[in-house]
Amino acid sequence: MLMDTHAYGSSTFQGKLVVQVDPSREKVVAPIVRYKSADELLKSAAVLVSIDEFEILLSRLSKDLDFAGKVAGILVESRTEVSNGLKGFSPDGKFPQAEFAPYQSNNFTWNPPGSGIMWKAYNFPVFLLSRTSTLILQEVVMKNEKTKKSNTENVAEFNVVMQTTKSGTHDSDSCLKEETCLPLGGYSVWSALPPINISSSQKSKPVIVTMTSMDSASFFRDKSLGADSPISGLITLLAAVDALSYLDGLDELNKQLVFVVLTGESWGYLGTRRFVLEADQHSDSVRGLDFAMIETVMEIGSVGKGLSNGVKTFYSHTSGDTLATNETFQALLRAQDSLKTESIKISMASTSNPGVPPSSLMTFLRKKSQISGVVLEDFDTSFTNKFYHSHLDDLSNVNSSAIVTAASLVARTLYLLANDQNASAINAINVNASLVEELLGCLLNCKPGSSCELMKHYISPSATCPSHYVGVILGEPSSVPYPAYVSDVSRFVWNFLASKTSIFSRNITSACPNDCNGVGELCIREEADGKGICVISTTRYVPAYSTRLKYESGSWTVLPYNSSEEMSAADPVWTESNWDTISLRVYKVQNTAYDGLILLSGIVVTVLTYLLILITRAFIRKALKWD
């Protein structure tokens, strides 16, 4: 990645991380050595390292520049079992995105295993190997170690040049001008239950916003699964919406329920910041949502590890001691009591915490400090997720029963809040555990992955194996984007929420989408069957990209810092390099010493042959008495 001030971090490709590499190194070829054998490198080498030693190696490289100069690349072994003794691996900081915190204690340790290595720059490529490749490379290294005196050795060849390095554009401003990169971003989604009648003259109801995020990050771009953080929260929200959608009388609720699924949150809270700005500008993407009427914001954070000794345990982190936050906590306790067959514990987070943990709520609080906000998490004073923003935060790192319980709590709590604590229909709200299991398979596993029946019911996915890296924003940002420019997950969430929060249109038999032109009408599931159906739903896309970017005349411009905007100075402009095919291949070559010996032998033979010819000619001349 590039940031607006300088080269920062890395550019990434398909589970492999590639950094800002010197453009003169178009192809790097180096022998492969194991890290333990690489204490003293005599020449350039590609280092094979286990995930246990990965942070140690990078720490050494940052201190030992001579050693770092001989590292041509790093090959990281695959590790799939997170419970086999690894104490933790989190390449993010100990306080992720501390610069956005709405309080001063930004040195608080929320993420104890955090090393911060993903935010540093490295002048060599780093590849995460598959399980099969790991076994092959381990065998290759063993052969290299056993045949040190051999004339051949196994080498790795990296092809890693990106347009930003090749053109010499090392920050976001310059690479956007040269069009050698694109801004990080995508599309957030929001939806209202029931749909908002924007043509009604009735006074707007108070709004309860429930939000979560759909993007994660890791050291390796396409291995950003984020199972506990944040996908457990996403699945919880979707399951809660599904449970609420079956209730009758939703129009009679005293408050309006709004659900927001954000993207870009791992990169300077792009989604939330753009969402708030779009609201300030009253853009089409937030049409129908009155921010002045927001009474409470509930965020669903990491809930996939909320299981301890058989008890589902969750914590409520609040933004302050207000009437609305107290009402939300009391509603959570009532929801807990209503789930009589479950072993559940809801606790208020410790008062020793400096404030809410790293979350999208921080952006709302920086914008409007008096807003009442609650973040539901599976931890109290520090993350229980030992693999935050790591490729190891996968399906094995979450518990489906904890997610089902969290969804039940959220759905029942929202009903109580929207119905002024009237619990008349609370026992009719039941979360579909099978839906949760299906979502886990769709969003966190390659089998079935995006080809699962649930996603194919709504969209035509472009890939199978899931990754929740935010990606780049393509084309002109719009509230009605070209579908191919929207990620599979965003399109699925949009269709799912539009379906679950909708009422059927009178045009249900009409051709879709051409005839879905009534007030509030949308065409859903068009990708899946090529036809789709018309429904009435308040579900919209919201572009997610830096608030310091402007798109005009087909190109991007970085805007200067806004001195009147409190968070502008902390707002990074993250971009991703354009690149050609990036590759790694391993093959056997003769070592350079042997090549040198062959060359020297050839020279010696040539010289001796020439001398022999001269001597022979002289002898013949003498024998034949030639002058």
Side-chain angles (χ1 to χ4, degrees):
M1 308 303 162
L2 297 177
M3 205 169 75
D4 53 334
T5 53
H6 56 282
Y8 194 79
S10 61
S11 299
T12 58
F13 173 78
Q14 294 186 352
K16 309 157 189 174
L17 181 145
V18 183
V19 299
Q20 311 307 323
V21 179
D22 186 334
S24 65
R25 300 171 62 184
E26 290 204 15
K27 282 191 177 181
V28 181
V29 180
I32 308 167
V33 299
R34 194 186 303 274
Y35 174 52
K36 291 180 180 178
S37 306
D39 290 336
E40 296 297 333
L41 292 178
L42 300 178
K43 59 181 180 179
S44 178
V47 181
L48 178 67
V49 64
S50 69
I51 194 66
D52 310 67
E53 299 171 315
F54 184 44
E55 288 181 353
I56 298 171
L57 173 59
L58 289 184
S59 176
R60 177 183 175 183
L61 292 173
S62 65
K63 299 172 184 176
D64 189 343
L65 298 182
D66 181 63
F67 181 77
K70 295 173 182 174
V71 174
I74 294 178
L75 306 170
V76 183
E77 295 176 348
S78 174
R79 185 170 186 167
T80 56
E81 293 297 328
V82 299
S83 59
N84 58 354
L86 188 60
K87 293 182 179 179
F89 175 73
S90 174
D92 209 331
K94 294 189 180 299
F95 190 145
Q97 305 196 89
E99 62 272 26
F100 295 96
Y103 45 80
Q104 297 301 315
S105 302
N106 57 9
N107 58 350
F108 189 80
T109 301
W110 287 107
N111 182 29
S115 63
I117 60 173
M118 68 184 285
W119 303 113
K120 297 178 181 179
Y122 306 99
N123 195 38
F124 46 79
V126 184
F127 279 66
L128 177 65
L129 302 171
S130 66
R131 281 179 287 181
T132 302
S133 297
T134 297
L135 296 175
I136 293 172
L137 266 294
Q138 287 173 342
E139 184 178 346
V140 163
V141 168
M142 287 179 63
K143 288 181 179 179
N144 275 354
E145 291 174 348
K146 289 179 180 179
T147 58
K148 288 184 178 179
K149 296 182 180 180
S150 172
N151 297 331
T152 61
E153 60 186 350
N154 292 285
V155 299
E157 179 184 281
F158 305 92
N159 188 2
V160 294
V161 173
M162 294 153 289
Q163 287 187 25
T164 49
T165 54
K166 199 167 186 178
S167 65
T169 53
H170 293 287
D171 59 50
S172 291
D173 193 5
S174 59
C175 76
L176 286 171
K177 288 178 181 176
E178 294 294 326
E179 297 184 352
T180 60
C181 64
L182 286 170
L184 292 196
Y187 286 89
S188 302
V189 178
W190 74 274
S191 186
L193 182 70
I196 297 171
N197 186 353
I198 58 176
S199 61
S200 173
S201 59
Q202 293 183 355
K203 183 180 178 181
S204 299
K205 296 178 181 180
V207 175
I208 299 171
V209 172
T210 306
M211 64 183 182
T212 190
S213 57
M214 69 175 98
D215 77 291
S216 186
S218 81
F219 199 92
F220 304 99
R221 177 190 187 269
D222 281 359
K223 289 295 182 181
S224 302
L225 285 172
D228 187 42
S229 311
I231 301 305
S232 64
L234 170 61
I235 294 174
T236 296
L237 183 143
L238 297 179
V241 173
D242 175 70
L244 289 168
S245 70
Y246 294 103
L247 288 181
D248 295 325
L250 290 172
D251 287 329
E252 299 171 8
L253 294 177
N254 298 311
K255 295 171 185 176
Q256 176 68 56
L257 296 177
V258 168
F259 302 94
V260 182
V261 180
L262 299 153
T263 193
E265 297 303 272
S266 302
W267 304 91
Y269 298 113
L270 294 177
T272 325
R273 290 176 55 72
R274 175 56 57 175
F275 192 81
V276 171
L277 182 61
E278 296 284 319
D280 286 345
Q281 296 174 345
H282 304 286
S283 71
D284 286 343
S285 60
V286 291
R287 184 165 48 93
L289 179 58
D290 186 352
F291 264 56
M293 296 301 294
I294 295 178
E295 181 180 90
T296 302
V297 176
M298 175 187 282
E299 181 170 354
I300 310 171
S302 305
V303 293
K305 298 184 73 65
L307 182 63
S308 177
N309 298 321
V311 178
K312 284 89 170 182
T313 305
F314 303 97
Y315 294 89
S316 173
H317 297 256
T318 62
S319 60
D321 187 16
T322 65
L323 177 61
T325 55
N326 288 332
E327 285 181 351
T328 302
F329 184 67
Q330 292 304 314
L332 280 166
L333 291 177
R334 289 189 67 186
Q336 167 196 293
D337 294 339
S338 71
L339 296 167
K340 299 174 183 178
T341 60
E342 298 281 351
S343 298
I344 308 168
K345 182 181 179 182
I346 295 290
S347 300
M348 189 71 78
S350 174
T351 55
S352 66
N353 293 343
V356 296
S359 56
S360 302
L361 181 61
M362 285 182 168
T363 302
F364 281 88
L365 293 174
R366 291 293 292 264
K367 183 69 178 178
K368 186 178 179 182
S369 60
Q370 66 271 29
I371 199 168
S372 296
V374 172
V375 185
L376 186 67
E377 301 276 11
D378 56 17
F379 62 86
D380 184 3
T381 58
S382 62
F383 296 172
T384 55
N385 182 8
K386 298 186 297 181
F387 306 105
Y388 181 80
H389 279 179
S390 158
H391 65 285
L392 297 174
D393 187 11
D394 58 17
L395 184 57
S396 65
N397 198 38
V398 293
N399 183 284
S400 62
S401 63
I403 297 174
V404 171
T405 301
S408 299
L409 283 170
V410 168
R412 295 188 176 206
T413 298
L414 292 176
Y415 173 77
L416 289 169
L417 292 173
N419 207 32
D420 287 338
Q421 304 290 345
N422 184 345
S424 58
I426 194 170
N427 291 325
I429 303 173
N430 296 300
V431 169
N432 184 346
S434 296
L435 172 63
V436 170
E437 292 287 352
E438 194 171 6
L439 285 166
L440 286 169
C442 296
L443 298 174
L444 294 173
N445 210 343
C446 284
K447 296 180 180 180
S450 300
S451 62
C452 67
E453 290 303 316
L454 178 61
M455 291 189 74
K456 287 167 64 178
H457 178 70
Y458 292 104
I459 67 169
S460 178
S462 60
T464 300
C465 286
S467 175
H468 302 295
Y469 169 67
V470 62
V472 294
I473 192 156
L474 300 170
E476 183 176 7
S478 169
S479 59
V480 189
Y482 178 53
Y485 290 170
V486 184
S487 72
D488 287 351
V489 176
S490 289
R491 297 197 324 278
F492 166 68
V493 169
W494 185 91
N495 277 273
F496 184 92
L497 291 180
S499 172
K500 297 297 180 180
T501 62
S502 68
I503 55 179
F504 284 113
S505 166
R506 293 179 181 178
N507 295 330
I508 191 170
T509 59
S510 300
C512 177
N514 296 333
D515 289 345
C516 292
N517 51 17
V519 176
E521 285 189 344
L522 300 174
C523 177
I524 64 171
R525 290 169 42 191
E526 182 189 4
E527 285 184 55
D529 58 12
K531 298 177 182 177
I533 58 172
C534 293
V535 296
I536 296 175
S537 175
T538 307
T539 303
R540 311 201 196 290
Y541 287 115
V542 183
Y545 58 98
S546 173
T547 56
R548 289 185 50 228
L549 282 175
K550 184 178 181 180
Y551 186 90
E552 58 183 355
S553 302
S555 61
W556 292 94
T557 303
V558 178
L559 302 175
Y561 290 115
N562 183 357
S563 58
S564 64
E565 170 60 46
E566 183 181 2
M567 292 181 71
S568 179
D571 186 8
V573 179
W574 289 104
T575 53
E576 178 179 297
S577 309
N578 301 339
W579 49 53
D580 296 322
T581 301
I582 294 176
S583 62
L584 163 69
R585 66 189 184 115
V586 176
Y587 53 90
K588 184 176 290 186
V589 298
Q590 290 181 339
N591 62 42
T592 54
Y594 183 74
D595 288 342
L597 180 61
I598 294 298
L599 177 61
L600 180 61
S601 300
I603 293 172
V604 170
V605 170
T606 302
V607 171
L608 291 176
T609 302
Y610 180 70
L611 292 174
L612 182 60
I613 291 172
L614 291 178
I615 293 170
T616 302
R617 288 179 63 185
F619 178 78
I620 293 173
R621 284 177 180 273
K622 185 176 181 181
L624 297 178
K625 298 181 180 181
W626 287 353
D627 292 334

